[in-house]
Amino acid sequence: MHPLYSDRPLAQGYPDLDKQAVAAFHGAEGPSRVPEIMACLERLIDLSAGSRKVAVVGCGPDPQSVKDLLARGYDAVGIEPVPGFAKQAAEALDDGRRIHIGTAESLALPDQSQRVVLLESVLEHVDSPRRALTEAFRVLVPGGVLYVYTTNRLRFSPRGDNGEFVVRFYNWFPALVKECYVYKHLHFDPRLANHSLRPAVHWFTFAELCRLGRQAGFAHFYSLIDLVDSESPSVKRGLFRRWLVRHCRYHPWLRALGLMQFGSSIFMLKRPEHA
């Protein structure tokens, strides 16, 4: 038996990984994508009337998305599964009532209570993506929208970047090899996925996200390509991205080509009442 587990069960995982995760992720969040997300949502549905409730699932220790939504006048709450992260998030907001401990599969929110649910970099980490999407569908009002930003199994980066694992081109590895890396991360070398307590174990294509969304009950699906403005930060920095936005929205084969590279974002619409 490995020395790490000479006097403790293997299922306990790497020693003190929870503390390492809090230390590694605190202050490591990138800039908030709320302005771009909400601009896309305003092109998709009318946000000027109706509920202003928004749930940010997996808000992390620095709930910048919740802060930005509150500043924009939304009634925002954060859901966080890691107790240490939830504690820091509540302290950052100075309002513990807006941060709830929970998982994407079990949201402590009433039925049909939210206009928008945000799952940014969450779905790849959950135990059950299908249950997570079903739970989001439950808490959304009719006509509400779930926004998901997650892994893209087809994305190609010349540098081999994949989002979380420090192993180059990890998203292109066979599923069996990925499982072996996840095992090594959780039990022997937590540096592999940046000390994550819940490393990314699910890798999706845009079509797979649509299929899971339909199984959960969602009616229509939109990509960032369909809704983003050509001056948005994620588009204007590249000529190819601007070309895609201008040309591939209306051509199925070109749109499919674009979604192979930029299919990690999806807006799932819950069918409005009487529609």
Side-chain angles (χ1 to χ4, degrees):
M1 180 61 72
H2 192 279
L4 284 172
Y5 302 99
S6 59
D7 59 353
R8 54 197 298 275
L10 184 65
Q12 287 185 3
Y14 195 86
D16 295 324
L17 182 55
D18 55 342
K19 295 178 183 178
Q20 293 183 35
V22 172
F25 278 81
H26 184 58
E29 295 83 358
S32 169
R33 301 180 70 244
V34 162
E36 183 176 71
I37 294 169
M38 300 312 290
C40 289
L41 282 168
E42 287 169 356
R43 296 185 183 100
L44 183 60
I45 61 174
D46 182 5
L47 290 173
S48 63
S51 171
R52 304 283 289 178
K53 290 182 177 294
V54 181
V56 179
V57 183
C59 62
D62 181 12
Q64 189 59 49
S65 294
V66 178
K67 294 177 185 177
D68 287 352
L69 288 163
L70 291 172
R72 288 169 171 263
Y74 289 95
D75 184 3
V77 296
I79 311 293
E80 174 54 48
V82 181
F85 285 5
K87 182 176 182 294
Q88 291 189 12
E91 292 172 354
L93 288 178
D94 196 24
D95 186 353
R97 298 170 300 174
R98 291 197 176 274
I99 301 296
H100 307 291
I101 295 178
T103 65
E105 298 99 327
S106 182
L107 302 175
L109 298 169
D111 293 355
Q112 298 189 13
S113 61
Q114 307 297 309
R115 186 73 180 283
V116 176
V117 174
L118 305 182
L119 265 68
E120 292 188 83
S121 301
V122 170
L123 198 65
E124 65 269 27
H125 301 279
V126 302
D127 294 332
S128 172
R130 183 178 299 181
R131 286 176 54 196
L133 296 183
T134 299
E135 184 71 347
F137 183 88
R138 177 187 69 81
V139 304
L140 281 168
V141 299
V145 176
L146 166 65
Y147 171 74
V148 176
Y149 177 80
T150 186
T151 52
N152 184 350
R153 183 160 52 84
L154 300 178
R155 178 180 178 271
F156 176 77
S157 165
R159 296 181 300 178
D161 298 337
N162 60 74
E164 180 178 77
F165 276 82
V166 298
V167 183
R168 296 179 67 199
F169 300 107
Y170 179 85
N171 58 309
W172 285 91
F173 288 4
L176 181 59
V177 177
K178 286 196 186 88
E179 288 293 345
C180 293
Y181 270 100
V182 170
Y183 173 81
K184 183 176 181 180
H185 165 81
L186 289 173
H187 297 90
F188 302 109
D189 188 1
R191 296 172 300 174
L192 288 173
N194 291 311
H195 299 89
S196 174
L197 277 173
R198 293 177 171 228
V201 295
H202 306 291
W203 293 80
F204 305 96
T205 67
F206 189 83
E208 288 168 346
L209 291 170
C210 291
R211 175 177 55 80
L212 287 169
R214 289 190 178 96
Q215 290 173 353
F218 289 96
H220 300 289
F221 306 92
Y222 304 88
S223 72
L224 204 62
I225 290 174
D226 305 320
L227 300 169
V228 77
D229 186 87
S230 60
E231 293 303 310
S232 296
S234 63
V235 174
K236 67 179 182 181
R237 67 172 180 260
L239 288 174
F240 179 60
R241 294 186 179 208
R242 292 200 295 271
W243 182 88
L244 276 176
V245 168
R246 286 197 303 268
H247 294 93
C248 74
R249 289 176 175 173
Y250 318 108
H251 192 295
W253 284 94
L254 284 179
R255 185 171 180 268
L257 178 64
L259 290 175
M260 289 178 64
Q261 190 70 358
F262 306 115
S264 56
S265 295
I266 187 169
F267 298 80
M268 301 188 182
L269 178 68
K270 184 174 181 178
R271 194 181 302 279
E273 288 182 331
H274 312 304

